[in-house]
Amino acid sequence: MLQVFVLVFVLFTCYTVVYILFKRSLCFNYRPLIHITAILFILICLSFLYYIVLLTGQNFTRLLAMLFIVSIFLLCYFRKSIKATFSVNAGKGSNIGNLLALIAVLTLTLYFVFHGSKYGGWDAWAMWNLKARYLFYPDYWKNIFVPAMSFSSRDYPLMLPSIIAFLCHAVSSDTPLVPMLFSYVILILVPLLVYYALWREELYLYAFLALVIFVFDDSFKQLAMAQEADTLLSLLILLTFVLYNTLDSKGGHQVSILAFICASCAWEKNEGIVFMLLFSGCFIITNYRNYAILKNYAAGSIIPVIIWASFKLGYTPSNTVMANNATAATLIMHLTDTGRYLVITKAWVIMLFTKYLILIVLTLAALIANRRALLRLPFAVISLLMVAYFAVYLIAPGELNWLLSTSLVRLFLHVYPSLVYLLLALPKKSKNVLVQPVYSSFTETSKQTFK
Amino acid sequence: MRNKSIKYINFFLAGSIILMLGFKVYHIRKIIFDIDLLKQQLKPIRAHIKPGSTIGFDITTRYAASFMVMQYVMAPKTLVLNSSPDSVIIIKNKTDSLIDVKHYHVIAQSIAGDREISLIKKDK
């Protein structure tokens, strides 16, 4: 019981301090968005800390003791700021805005009460929650890498399992209720983040529309409640784009937070690595002359990259796609097989029309209303990400139809909330100096070269 | 006044959400899934296995899909399919006879419904 009280104190203090720091650093002074960013930032940090505890052979009690001391220190240091920050009303969400959000959360909660599963989907208990159970026992966590566990994708990063293991320690039991409730939190955070990001831009009708889209999308709700890592990854990708879209010329610290969140995607799933590389690549290309921005970006991404690299280089076996396509002949055979292209394209079209029809409608509306806006960096990153996913299906080993039927809906989920947000946010007139169409950067570069 | 009313409605909604979650947790704890049954059934067998150790696993066709579930329930003990380490878990129908494994003897057995789970160990 004492452990629970200490943990609640630690989490509350860390959350308050992160909130204060984010309020000072982020370009937007809008409480709901800062709250969501702070929650995700803390979850990521807990995941890193727990992984470091496992690496160093420490136990949870020592970690908690250390966090407790740090919390006391932080509380003393920030005691004046805490009162000042929370006594100011500026940036508070409007009552009517919160009412709509709460109605949406209530509806999602009702759905969760009736349909929420105790053990989640196949991937949840055969992979993520299984790993969390191993991570719960610091002495045996390396058993997740033994060959007998090959069915559970041993090379997948550990953000979700480590968060669940940490929270399980809080209740001193590896109960399935922890991943179940965690999936609920992610289920409500996705629509809320889209909603508040649009509300902040004063796009009230679009914000309401976003809520309606998520609340009535059964496919999204079922995937989110399946306790798998895809929804958390989609939330991180979404937050990356929200932070990117809200940058302004004084957003040095926000660039670091953006880089931290973006790089943390690699710690969530292997698909997150592709996103991190593409987003970082595009960001660097569009800002390659702005040394200060790039320095902040590098500073923000360094911790997640070190954590991820230590895991990938130190522990994991090679990825199944890489391992089974070791020979160039196999790779060429897959790449030149036109049948595979047709099968994948057909599956993608069917998937879009059956599960993600709203994306087609929104994209068509965007094409009619503001075609040039689709050339901005976020859309370029998402397009490249989809090309990368297509390429992975092309070279993936195993039965292609089975692979598509089991994973495609989850891959689309990675970009679904981001696309809903980005497409609905298009009417906003961007004041962001960093949010430039990708092509303009290339044009400027080529002009410079020709001069 | 209108703002104040909305504020009260918001508090009411937030309270309802928390109550609903409480109900969900209470309700789902009552429901017994097959994994829960398996957990209960494996309790006496788990006591004979050291944490972190590797155990063999043998199944009859009816329980062919249960390897993953067993892996989940037994964690952090690791199961190995189709191998012959020191200890092997055998899961089968109660009415079927136990497979004949030479140089092994039964350490623990647990029967629930139709399912019989046995832990066999290599003779010394």
Side-chain angles (χ1 to χ4, degrees):
Chain A
M1 202 61 187
L2 178 71
Q3 189 164 298
V4 175
F5 279 120
V6 173
L7 193 84
V8 169
F9 170 76
V10 164
L11 287 180
F12 183 74
T13 312
C14 291
Y15 179 74
T16 311
V17 171
V18 169
Y19 179 85
I20 291 165
L21 292 175
F22 277 11
K23 205 165 166 22
R24 289 175 191 168
S25 323
L26 292 173
C27 301
F28 47 86
N29 181 19
Y30 189 56
R31 278 193 193 183
L33 276 189
I34 302 174
H35 279 303
I36 295 174
T37 313
I39 290 170
L40 286 173
F41 182 83
I42 285 176
L43 285 174
I44 295 168
C45 290
L46 289 181
S47 156
F48 290 157
L49 275 175
Y50 193 77
Y51 175 65
I52 292 167
V53 164
L54 294 175
L55 283 187
T56 51
Q58 302 298 313
N59 61 32
F60 184 75
T61 316
R62 281 187 205 149
L63 170 69
L64 204 58
M66 186 202 78
L67 286 174
F68 183 70
I69 294 164
V70 172
S71 301
I72 299 262
F73 169 76
L74 288 173
L75 208 58
C76 296
Y77 188 80
F78 284 98
R79 66 187 187 283
K80 282 180 187 166
S81 314
I82 290 171
K83 207 178 172 189
T85 307
F86 288 99
S87 60
V88 179
N89 263 334
K92 214 176 166 184
S94 76
N95 274 340
I96 190 83
N98 290 338
L99 176 68
L100 290 175
L102 278 167
I103 291 170
V105 173
L106 187 86
T107 319
L108 289 170
T109 311
L110 265 174
Y111 191 87
F112 175 75
V113 167
F114 288 111
H115 302 281
S117 150
K118 190 175 183 180
Y119 289 99
W122 170 275
D123 273 16
W125 56 261
M127 199 186 294
W128 305 108
N129 295 346
L130 173 66
K131 285 182 181 176
R133 278 172 72 84
Y134 278 95
L135 264 51
F136 181 71
Y137 302 94
D139 293 337
Y140 312 112
W141 76 277
K142 284 180 189 165
N143 279 4
I144 59 174
F145 304 114
V146 299
M149 294 281 286
S150 56
F151 64 86
S152 71
S153 301
R154 291 172 294 167
D155 59 306
Y156 267 23
L158 298 176
M159 183 190 283
L160 184 62
S162 55
I163 292 172
I164 291 170
F166 183 95
L167 297 173
C168 281
H169 273 292
V171 289
S172 303
S173 156
D174 54 349
T175 164
L177 295 178
V178 171
M180 187 190 83
L181 290 174
F182 186 73
S183 76
Y184 165 78
V185 172
I186 304 300
L187 164 75
I188 60 162
L189 279 183
V190 171
L192 287 184
L193 180 54
V194 175
Y195 171 73
Y196 280 118
L198 291 168
W199 191 275
R200 183 195 154 268
E201 304 293 349
E202 296 174 357
L203 299 167
Y204 305 121
L205 189 67
Y206 293 105
F208 178 69
L209 184 64
L211 275 188
V212 172
I213 288 171
F214 287 112
V215 165
F216 288 101
D217 188 343
D218 283 353
S219 166
F220 163 75
K221 287 183 284 190
Q222 279 161 12
L223 284 169
M225 291 188 314
Q227 303 176 19
E228 290 160 8
D230 302 276
T231 323
L232 182 55
L233 178 62
S234 75
L235 182 58
L236 294 177
I237 292 175
L238 170 64
L239 183 60
T240 307
F241 286 128
V242 170
L243 289 174
Y244 178 78
N245 264 5
T246 49
L247 277 173
D248 64 23
S249 53
K250 292 169 191 167
H253 293 301
Q254 184 162 325
V255 169
S256 299
I257 298 165
L258 161 75
F260 182 86
I261 302 286
C262 174
S264 297
C265 291
W267 180 235
E268 172 61 8
K269 266 198 102 180
N270 280 351
E271 291 88 334
I273 302 167
V274 184
F275 173 76
M276 177 191 74
L277 292 174
L278 290 174
F279 185 88
S280 302
C282 289
F283 189 87
I284 291 165
I285 288 170
T286 46
N287 297 288
Y288 74 100
R289 276 178 297 180
N290 197 335
Y291 178 69
I293 289 289
L294 292 184
K295 201 173 73 179
N296 281 320
Y297 194 86
S301 56
I302 197 150
I303 294 174
V305 169
I306 288 172
I307 295 277
W308 169 78
S310 75
F311 175 74
K312 283 286 175 185
L313 300 175
Y315 294 100
T316 59
S318 65
N319 181 269
T320 46
V321 177
M322 297 297 178
N324 292 304
N325 281 301
T327 61
T330 325
L331 200 66
I332 290 168
M333 196 181 78
H334 278 153
L335 287 172
T336 51
D337 184 356
T338 46
R340 286 178 82 87
Y341 287 88
L342 286 174
V343 170
I344 300 167
T345 310
K346 191 180 159 195
W348 279 41
V349 172
I350 292 171
M351 182 59 64
L352 275 171
F353 276 93
T354 52
K355 303 271 184 187
Y356 297 100
L357 190 62
I358 192 71
L359 289 183
I360 297 175
V361 175
L362 290 176
T363 311
L364 286 176
L367 277 171
I368 295 163
N370 191 356
R371 213 176 312 162
R372 279 172 67 86
L374 292 176
L375 293 167
R376 284 183 191 151
L377 180 141
F379 293 105
V381 173
I382 289 174
S383 307
L384 289 171
L385 191 66
M386 296 322 282
V387 171
Y389 285 171
F390 196 95
V392 170
Y393 277 120
L394 273 181
I395 60 169
E399 218 280 298
L400 185 60
N401 281 314
W402 176 82
L403 200 65
L404 285 162
S405 65
T406 53
S407 63
L408 190 57
V409 69
R410 289 183 286 115
L411 289 194
F412 273 93
L413 176 71
H414 297 168
V415 295
Y416 173 56
S418 302
L419 275 174
V420 170
Y421 161 67
L422 291 165
L423 290 167
L424 288 175
L426 281 182
K428 177 200 112 178
K429 293 269 182 281
S430 178
K431 292 170 193 167
N432 176 356
V433 290
L434 296 170
V435 180
Q436 299 289 344
V438 178
Y439 73 88
S440 72
S441 160
F442 287 116
T443 327
E444 275 181 39
T445 318
S446 51
K447 274 180 194 165
Q448 294 284 328
T449 318
F450 287 122
K451 274 177 190 173
Chain B
M1 185 63 196
R2 193 171 143 252
N3 244 352
K4 217 171 184 180
S5 314
I6 293 173
K7 215 172 182 176
Y8 287 131
I9 295 170
N10 285 352
F11 276 120
F12 173 76
L13 288 177
S16 313
I17 290 165
I18 292 166
L19 279 177
M20 275 183 197
L21 283 177
F23 169 74
K24 173 72 180 174
V25 170
Y26 170 79
H27 181 247
I28 209 141
R29 278 165 69 106
K30 296 265 178 196
I31 303 173
I32 307 291
F33 290 82
D34 194 46
I35 295 184
D36 300 311
L37 285 175
L38 204 59
K39 265 185 194 172
Q40 282 172 10
Q41 204 180 343
L42 281 168
K43 231 176 190 174
I45 288 176
R46 282 171 68 97
H48 291 273
I49 306 164
K50 283 181 194 163
S53 55
T54 301
I55 322 134
F57 186 61
D58 201 279
I59 40 178
T60 58
T61 44
R62 184 177 155 187
Y63 297 106
S66 60
F67 175 64
M68 308 289 219
V69 187
M70 289 286 283
Q71 193 77 278
Y72 175 82
V73 175
M74 293 298 287
K77 295 145 194 170
T78 312
L79 296 181
V80 185
L81 196 61
N82 301 329
S83 70
S84 50
D86 285 346
S87 312
V88 177
I89 286 179
I90 297 175
I91 176 166
K92 65 176 193 67
N93 283 337
K94 195 170 70 179
T95 47
D96 296 345
S97 55
L98 197 64
I99 54 163
D100 186 26
V101 190
K102 281 177 186 169
H103 311 299
Y104 277 85
H105 61 279
V106 177
I107 291 285
Q109 216 160 32
S110 172
I111 302 168
D114 282 351
R115 189 169 50 203
E116 181 186 295
I117 302 175
S118 314
L119 175 71
I120 59 171
K121 220 164 189 177
K122 217 175 221 173
D123 298 334
K124 279 184 184 167

